[in-house]
Amino acid sequence: MISRSLGPEFGGSIGLIFAFANAVAVAMYVVGFAETTVDLLKEYASLMVDEINDIRIIGCITVALLLGISVAGMEWEAKAQIVLLVILLVAIVNMFVGTAISPTEDKKSKGFFGYETKVFMENFKPDFRDGETFFSVFAVFFPAATGILAGANISGDLRDAQDAIPKGTLLAILITGVTYLAVALCVSGTVVRDATGNTTDLITPGVPCNGSAVAACELGYDFSSCATEPCKFGLMNNFQVMTMVSGFGPLITAGTFSATLSSALASLVSAPKVFQALCKDNIYKALHFFAKGHGKNNEPIRGYVLTFIISVAFILIGNLNTIAPIISNFFLASYALINFSCFHASYAKSPGWRPAYKYYNMWLSLLGALLCCVVMFVINWWAALLTYGIEILLYIYVTVKKPDVNWGSSTQAVTFVSAVSNALSLASVEDHVKNFRPQILALTGPARVRPALLDLAHSITKNYGLCLSCEVLVGPRSEIQQEMNTVIEKNQQWLNKTKRKVFYAAVACDSFREGAESLLQASGLGRMKPNTLMIGFKRNWRTAEAEAVQSYVGILHDAFDFDYGTVVLRINQGLDVSHLIDAEDEMLKAAKEQQALDNEMIPNEGRAKGLFRKSRNSSQQVLTTRVSVCGPLPPQVAKMNERLVEASGQFKKKQPKGTIDVWWLFDDGGLTLLIPYILTTRKKWKDSKLRIFIAGQLGRSEIDKEEMKSLLHKFRIKCSDITVIDDIHVKPHNDRLKKLEDIIEPFRLHEGSKGRDHAEGMQKEYPWKITDAELSSFEEKTNLQVRLNELLHEYSKSANLIVVSMPIARKGSISDFLYMAWLDILTKDLPPTLLIRGNHKSVLTFYS
């Protein structure tokens, strides 16, 4: 109940304690039975060894017999409970009848005088002795009220638990409350606290009555000696006082046996059932052994044996007053959480929480929980601390292990309500540059396909901001929509499993660019929405269709139009590992099919060897067919795949000692500087130092360096070195320019060598091609990208990560293929490189 209400962390921690408390309760009730039996043996001088050892012997034999009844099944347990209930009811009636019968002289000497106002008034005031207090007595008495959950503990065996448990529990509280009060009032109105049991201790006529035994004195008996020496009779001394006041003493003994044995039997059934339910949830993997049931009623035989062992261990203590306070704390902790779970469910305002009880009030539940906690500490503060200490350790264990369960707990509901409330509060606050944080929308495709891109985005946003891994499913929306929910759930599960704190989102559209536009516009909630697009470099742009390249560059334009900062990641080995994932999935599928076939042929192994051989052959054939899809690979391809796998996981592991080189060439608001700074604050990047490279003018290098140093000091960003590049506009080497020409050659229009009409016709037919006029207009900017690549090779070839200000392509003035050529030549043959361009809104400030 607690697991489903508050979640497995609370339920798992209290479940063990509650099951243990029920197991110890068995020992308490059995020791109560054994104490009564030993009192009878003492009365007839028939002790076997001595009092304490007789209690242990009788207790162990009793719990073994009760175990036999429990193992026999719920039907036998229910029949035994009915018999014991009848005996108990007769005994209670017998006690009430006995209090109304005139006492004999022998009973008067033992303190029983019948109903007397004087006796009741004397007993009405408290008289704690031997260091006892109200709460120490309460701790011993409290377990007598723990049976109210007996019905809930066996809820799995009830025909209609939802109807039976509330009625049964409320009736149990009412009946036991009335019975306990009635017994206490009747006995306190008829029996004095101390009596000698000596019929000759009579009052001498004329002697005034004073001292502690005034009521007995006024009724003709002198029990004043009990003030100086211990007496054996009276309410304070005689544990068998109910036997004395009853009409027929042996019936009370039978009732005591009935009460203790029925309670012991209920706890002996409850503890294994609760423990079995806990083990079935598989919250504690090591305890799953006890989840197995036997027979048609799924009886927890293993749980019964464990409960028996725990019970015997505590029976060996042999003292009821020692055992009772131990379990009082455990039960109080359980009741506190049951009350709190009701309050918590109401506080969460979950639509699924619909209590049917007419008089339910959430604040009453909270009051009950607080009272339980307070009483725990009042009874025994160190035991309460120990109980909560155990709970907290178990809670932490379950939280760390994160069991794969979803029970719709109120903790989830409260988290949701808090998230909505905080998001709404955030929506009413204006953005401020001091609180800017990169919130990344990463176009990764399926989450597993581009792990390097995802890991770097995660590193930037972890504990800082929002990170969305996004996929565009291209195709007819009506067909894709059906599989979309499955895709989203599968990818989010993978992200959670790999402990990446990233959200996953997907859209279905007719084209990749349309889907990206939808994500850029609609992703996020209130202030919690992405402000930075992160995308991998399109490595195959030279072989891709023109429409795909236009779509890619168009997405970058769209990002700027929607006020996004833009980040492009390039790794030499590439980012896409989809072909490796497909091969891995194919292998796993083949292995499962082989395992299934092998399992089928095992039963036939002894009787049909021919069939066995046939199955083995078909199994091998399936595996061979599957493996042939993805292997064996040529050595060169295998080596490339190995490098790709290594590159794809490089941002997941700790980075070696080195540098992050930041080439801050344009003022874009500071995003190019902020992102690498954030990376240096991460544990994985702590050994990477920032190096800043800026463009300068000849003869002003030192001045530019000092200005940048001053600026970084104001921004409170530490760097290991600042380098001013004053020859950035020098013409690049001819071999580098030749490489660029080779790259763009297939995409040039060469209209200058054609006639005017022919050239115009070609431009209409191939509008995406690079014209001679365009190439001439942007020659300086094109040469700059080539020159930057030379400088990057010269200064940053050994960096862990290179961050460069991304060149901008004006929409409509620069063709998509020329722009892709710029990005390609700029980042060619370098360590992992980030091209960053902010949206020209300041993200850095001097003020803290």
Side-chain angles (χ1 to χ4, degrees):
M1 181 166 61
I2 296 169
S3 290
R4 270 59 174 176
S5 298
L6 293 179
E9 296 86 0
F10 284 104
S13 57
I14 202 63
L16 273 181
I17 290 175
F18 189 58
F20 181 75
N22 273 290
V24 178
V26 176
M28 186 194 72
Y29 295 126
V30 169
V31 167
F33 166 80
E35 281 187 356
T36 306
T37 307
V38 168
D39 282 345
L40 285 174
L41 292 175
K42 276 171 60 183
E43 192 175 330
Y44 294 100
S46 302
L47 288 176
M48 292 178 282
V49 185
D50 54 47
E51 281 189 46
I52 190 73
N53 284 308
D54 280 14
I55 288 172
R56 290 167 179 165
I57 293 166
I58 294 166
C60 291
I61 294 170
T62 305
V63 80
L65 292 172
L66 292 176
L67 178 66
I69 295 172
S70 301
V71 170
M74 285 299 298
E75 293 176 6
W76 283 95
E77 193 266 347
K79 289 175 183 176
Q81 289 283 23
I82 291 171
V83 173
L84 293 171
L85 176 63
V86 171
I87 296 170
L88 183 59
L89 290 173
V90 171
I92 291 171
V93 172
N94 173 53
M95 194 281 302
F96 287 127
V97 170
T99 57
I101 299 173
S102 297
T104 61
E105 291 301 317
D106 180 61
K107 287 187 176 182
K108 284 183 178 180
S109 68
K110 293 177 180 178
F112 175 48
F113 293 98
Y115 287 102
E116 292 286 347
T117 306
K118 299 169 187 177
V119 173
F120 182 79
M121 293 308 296
E122 186 176 83
N123 287 333
F124 192 77
K125 296 176 183 178
D127 183 21
F128 296 107
R129 302 177 187 178
D130 301 325
E132 299 293 346
T133 63
F134 171 82
F135 285 102
S136 66
V137 176
F138 175 83
V140 176
F141 177 77
F142 181 76
T146 57
I148 59 172
L149 280 185
N153 293 342
I154 58 167
S155 58
D157 298 295
L158 299 175
R159 188 181 294 108
D160 184 3
Q162 192 171 358
D163 182 62
I165 290 175
K167 288 180 181 177
T169 304
L170 290 172
L171 281 170
I173 293 170
L174 178 64
I175 293 169
T176 52
V178 170
T179 304
Y180 289 163
L181 280 172
V183 169
L185 290 171
C186 288
V187 174
S188 63
T190 56
V191 184
V192 294
R193 283 176 173 148
D194 297 291
T196 59
N198 190 346
T199 55
T200 60
D201 285 343
L202 300 173
I203 288 295
T204 305
V207 175
C209 292
N210 51 40
S212 59
V214 176
C217 175
E218 290 178 355
L219 293 169
Y221 281 82
D222 181 12
F223 298 145
S224 57
S225 61
C226 292
T228 55
E229 58 185 49
C231 292
K232 294 182 179 180
F233 299 97
L235 289 176
M236 296 294 288
N237 310 302
N238 184 11
F239 289 165
Q240 304 299 325
V241 71
M242 285 182 67
T243 305
M244 180 185 69
V245 303
S246 65
F248 183 59
L251 264 179
I252 295 297
T253 304
T256 306
F257 289 167
S258 171
T260 52
L261 293 177
S262 66
S263 297
L265 197 54
S267 295
L268 189 57
V269 170
S270 299
K273 293 277 185 184
V274 172
F275 194 58
Q276 184 188 34
L278 177 70
C279 296
K280 274 184 178 178
D281 288 338
N282 208 18
I283 295 172
Y284 303 103
K285 304 283 185 187
L287 300 178
H288 193 64
F289 172 79
F290 294 98
K292 184 175 174 59
H294 297 79
K296 63 178 184 179
N297 289 329
N298 198 32
E299 294 295 336
I301 303 299
R302 295 171 179 177
Y304 282 127
V305 174
L306 180 64
T307 304
F308 172 77
I309 293 168
I310 294 170
S311 302
V312 168
F314 279 86
I315 284 169
L316 295 178
I317 294 174
N319 190 321
L320 186 69
N321 290 350
T322 303
I323 299 170
I326 296 173
I327 63 171
S328 288
N329 261 315
F330 287 162
F331 276 115
L332 280 165
S334 304
Y335 295 161
L337 271 183
I338 290 171
N339 279 312
F340 184 73
S341 65
C342 290
F343 166 77
H344 201 263
S346 299
Y347 178 76
K349 296 180 175 63
S350 174
W353 171 249
R354 297 182 292 274
Y357 184 51
K358 184 179 178 181
Y359 302 104
Y360 168 76
N361 184 283
M362 62 183 284
W363 300 109
L364 194 60
S365 297
L366 180 62
L367 179 63
L370 292 173
L371 278 175
C372 288
C373 294
V374 169
V375 171
M376 281 178 70
F377 281 95
V378 173
I379 288 174
N380 191 325
W381 65 268
W382 62 263
L385 286 176
L386 181 64
T387 304
Y388 280 115
I390 294 169
E391 277 185 35
I392 290 167
L393 287 174
L394 292 171
Y395 178 90
I396 292 169
Y397 173 83
V398 178
T399 304
V400 170
K401 289 295 180 182
K402 286 186 171 52
D404 187 19
V405 293
N406 182 13
W407 294 322
S409 66
S410 59
T411 306
Q412 293 172 337
V414 167
T415 304
F416 179 83
V417 170
S418 299
V420 172
S421 177
N422 290 335
L424 288 170
S425 299
L426 201 60
S428 62
V429 178
E430 289 294 325
D431 285 332
H432 194 282
V433 62
K434 284 198 296 183
N435 293 322
F436 176 86
R437 58 196 64 218
Q439 303 197 106
I440 292 177
L441 188 155
L443 282 175
T444 59
R448 297 169 62 193
V449 166
R450 293 175 179 81
L453 183 69
L454 184 65
D455 289 334
L456 192 59
H458 181 230
S459 294
I460 294 168
T461 58
K462 188 179 179 183
N463 300 329
Y464 268 87
L466 180 72
C467 184
L468 287 175
S469 171
C470 299
E471 178 181 4
V472 178
L473 303 171
V474 179
R477 193 171 300 177
S478 57
E479 295 177 13
I480 296 173
Q481 199 69 39
Q482 296 176 358
E483 63 174 287
M484 196 157 144
N485 290 337
T486 307
V487 168
I488 292 173
E489 186 177 350
K490 183 180 176 183
N491 281 278
Q492 189 64 59
Q493 283 177 351
W494 181 82
L495 288 168
N496 295 339
K497 186 179 178 181
T498 55
K499 296 181 180 178
R500 290 174 168 94
K501 295 180 180 179
V502 178
F503 294 102
Y504 179 82
V507 292
C509 280
D510 295 328
S511 73
F512 183 70
R513 185 174 179 183
E514 282 180 19
E517 276 186 353
S518 300
L519 289 166
L520 288 167
Q521 292 180 83
S523 296
L525 182 71
R527 297 288 178 198
M528 292 182 63
K529 61 184 300 182
N531 53 32
T532 306
L533 170 68
M534 192 165 183
I535 192 170
F537 177 72
K538 190 170 181 62
R539 196 161 172 256
N540 67 338
W541 70 274
R542 294 163 70 180
T543 56
E545 293 181 5
E547 187 181 347
V549 176
Q550 289 171 328
S551 174
Y552 179 84
V553 177
I555 290 169
L556 298 179
H557 287 309
D558 293 337
F560 290 124
D561 289 343
F562 296 134
D563 272 345
Y564 274 69
T566 307
V567 179
V568 177
L569 172 65
R570 180 172 187 178
I571 297 175
N572 274 335
Q573 294 83 355
L575 296 167
D576 193 338
V577 295
S578 56
H579 63 289
L580 299 178
I581 291 170
D582 291 342
E584 183 185 354
D585 290 344
E586 195 71 27
M587 286 290 289
L588 288 172
K589 189 176 179 182
K592 284 180 181 177
E593 287 188 17
Q594 184 189 15
Q595 184 64 45
L597 287 169
D598 289 347
N599 291 341
E600 286 176 14
M601 50 190 183
I602 287 169
N604 301 320
E605 188 172 355
R607 61 188 180 191
K609 292 185 178 178
L611 180 62
F612 176 83
R613 250 193 317 271
K614 185 177 179 183
S615 298
R616 170 67 71 182
N617 290 338
S618 70
S619 170
Q620 289 297 107
Q621 188 178 0
V622 167
L623 185 58
T624 305
T625 305
R626 293 289 184 195
V627 172
S628 65
V629 174
C630 53
L633 296 169
Q636 190 178 359
V637 177
K639 189 70 175 174
M640 285 174 63
N641 285 343
E642 188 180 332
R643 287 174 183 168
L644 177 57
V645 169
E646 187 178 348
S648 68
Q650 64 181 309
F651 298 131
K652 185 75 174 168
K653 58 189 180 184
K654 192 177 187 300
Q655 299 300 303
K657 196 170 184 179
T659 63
I660 297 176
D661 287 359
V662 182
W663 290 71
W664 195 17
L665 307 175
F666 314 103
D667 182 13
D668 60 352
L671 189 65
T672 307
L673 191 57
L674 179 62
I675 285 179
Y677 165 73
I678 290 172
L679 283 174
T680 60
T681 64
R682 302 298 185 219
K683 196 173 181 180
K684 291 174 186 172
W685 293 85
K686 69 176 184 178
D687 293 331
S688 298
K689 305 298 181 184
L690 278 185
R691 291 199 304 177
I692 309 295
F693 295 83
I694 59 171
Q697 298 176 8
L698 283 170
R700 279 183 52 91
S701 295
E702 287 302 318
I703 297 171
D704 290 341
K705 185 174 181 178
E706 286 302 317
E707 286 178 354
M708 177 53 67
K709 192 175 180 180
S710 173
L711 185 64
L712 291 175
H713 178 72
K714 290 177 180 178
F715 284 147
R716 298 172 303 284
I717 292 177
K718 293 180 181 178
C719 68
S720 62
D721 187 35
I722 298 172
T723 303
V724 180
I725 310 295
D726 56 10
D727 58 348
I728 196 168
H729 293 290
V730 172
K731 187 177 179 181
H733 293 94
N734 290 331
D735 58 332
R736 297 274 183 180
L737 288 173
K738 181 69 170 62
K739 281 184 181 179
L740 175 65
E741 288 171 8
D742 292 340
I743 289 172
I744 64 174
E745 180 59 34
F747 312 108
R748 288 189 62 180
L749 196 62
H750 289 295
E751 82 283 3
S753 59
K754 309 290 190 300
R756 184 177 176 183
D757 293 340
H758 189 198
E760 288 178 358
M762 287 177 67
Q763 276 187 297
K764 287 181 181 179
E765 188 178 353
Y766 305 106
W768 47 269
K769 284 202 169 186
I770 305 168
T771 65
D772 293 343
E774 178 189 2
L775 205 55
S776 176
S777 299
F778 295 101
E779 182 181 1
E780 186 180 342
K781 202 163 186 180
T782 303
N783 289 346
L784 177 62
Q785 313 313 318
V786 181
R787 175 60 181 157
L788 279 172
N789 182 257
E790 285 182 351
L791 293 168
L792 289 166
H793 274 272
E794 182 181 344
Y795 289 98
S796 301
K797 187 66 178 174
S798 59
N800 288 342
L801 180 69
I802 300 173
V803 179
V804 188
S805 294
M806 186 168 72
I808 291 290
R810 288 184 183 175
K811 201 186 296 185
S813 61
I814 300 175
S815 65
D816 296 332
F817 279 89
L818 179 59
Y819 183 59
M820 288 303 300
W822 287 0
L823 301 185
D824 194 348
I825 198 68
L826 173 61
T827 57
K828 197 170 184 64
D829 300 327
L830 291 170
T833 305
L834 275 182
L835 295 171
I836 301 179
R837 192 68 175 221
N839 59 6
H840 296 282
K841 290 182 180 177
S842 294
V843 298
L844 292 171
T845 177
F846 297 159
Y847 308 107
S848 59

